Amino acid sequence: MTDTASEGPGAAPAVAGATPADASAGPAAVTQLNVTALFAEAAAKSGLMWVQPPGDRAWPFWHAWADDTVYVVSGPGEQTLPWLPAEVVLVLRSKDNGGRLLTVNASVREVGPQDEQWAAATEALKAGRLNATDDVVERWSRECTVRAVTPFGAPLEAPGSYGAGSGAAPVPPSDATTSHWRPWHWRGRPRRRRGSHLPAGD
């Protein structure tokens, strides 16, 4: 969860050192790839990827990769994700340089305690969860949403065929502000700057 991309929380990773594919190369450069192996390698090496619901920005999230499936948990005490429809877009980054590596369509399904996938999903998520407590799976079943996200179809972007855009998104609007125009100091601000004859406020 600590290894994040430099664009900020609302931006999918840009292509590091890549240029749009030559039109003469066409989609052949993509179809020559073993996309399943590439996706599995990227998902296993990097604990962070982005999900983009239709009409929304890309949301970063940590995940667990097991059984050719991306498992993700969100809710109270966990990461925040929006409502996800049945189909979304996943953006995977390169662990080596943080750049956009692979963009694919994916199906989304909620996994509950009654599902056959529940044990596999929660076991994988618990293993990847920092500071997981013994009762974390029970808490997930009561308070959180566990999803199985499965890639399908041909890649939208892959090595040799990237779009020209960076993937960066505007910073979401916020009403957050500071309560004071200057930082609070323990025992007040000094009357003079250290090493200066000028008052501290000048």
Side-chain angles (χ1 to χ4, degrees):
M1 295 171 62
T2 59
D3 192 9
T4 58
S6 59
E7 291 87 347
V15 180
T19 57
D22 189 335
S24 62
V30 176
T31 57
Q32 292 174 1
L33 294 170
N34 185 335
V35 176
T36 302
L38 181 61
F39 189 100
E41 182 179 5
K45 286 186 176 181
S46 178
L48 185 73
M49 66 175 66
W50 280 254
V51 59
Q52 185 167 5
D56 197 358
R57 66 181 178 89
W59 291 73
F61 69 96
W62 74 270
H63 69 281
W65 170 254
D67 302 324
D68 294 332
T69 303
V70 175
Y71 293 115
V72 55
V73 58
S74 60
E78 303 297 335
Q79 60 195 332
T80 299
L81 283 177
W83 174 81
L84 298 179
E87 292 186 8
V88 296
V89 170
L90 288 180
V91 182
L92 286 83
R93 65 173 186 169
S94 167
K95 183 65 174 178
D96 296 330
N97 56 35
R100 188 165 70 245
L101 178 65
L102 192 63
T103 303
V104 299
N105 289 309
S107 62
V108 179
R109 189 178 74 86
E110 291 191 11
V111 179
Q114 72 282 359
D115 291 313
E116 294 182 359
Q117 279 185 294
W118 177 257
T122 54
E123 181 179 348
L125 287 166
K126 184 177 181 181
R129 174 68 162 83
L130 296 177
N131 304 319
T133 58
D134 293 338
D135 64 343
V136 68
V137 174
E138 181 182 352
R139 180 171 63 81
W140 288 342
S141 67
R142 297 193 315 266
E143 305 174 2
C144 298
T145 301
V146 175
R147 296 182 177 96
V149 186
T150 307
F152 69 87
L156 305 177
E157 291 181 310
S161 179
Y162 290 115
S166 69
V171 177
S174 173
D175 295 329
T177 184
T178 55
S179 58
H180 303 284
W181 69 278
R182 290 192 297 181
W184 178 83
H185 286 254
W186 171 248
R187 294 184 179 178
R189 296 176 63 88
R191 298 187 63 183
R192 294 183 180 276
R193 293 179 182 173
R194 183 172 301 175
S196 171
H197 66 281
L198 296 176
D202 294 340

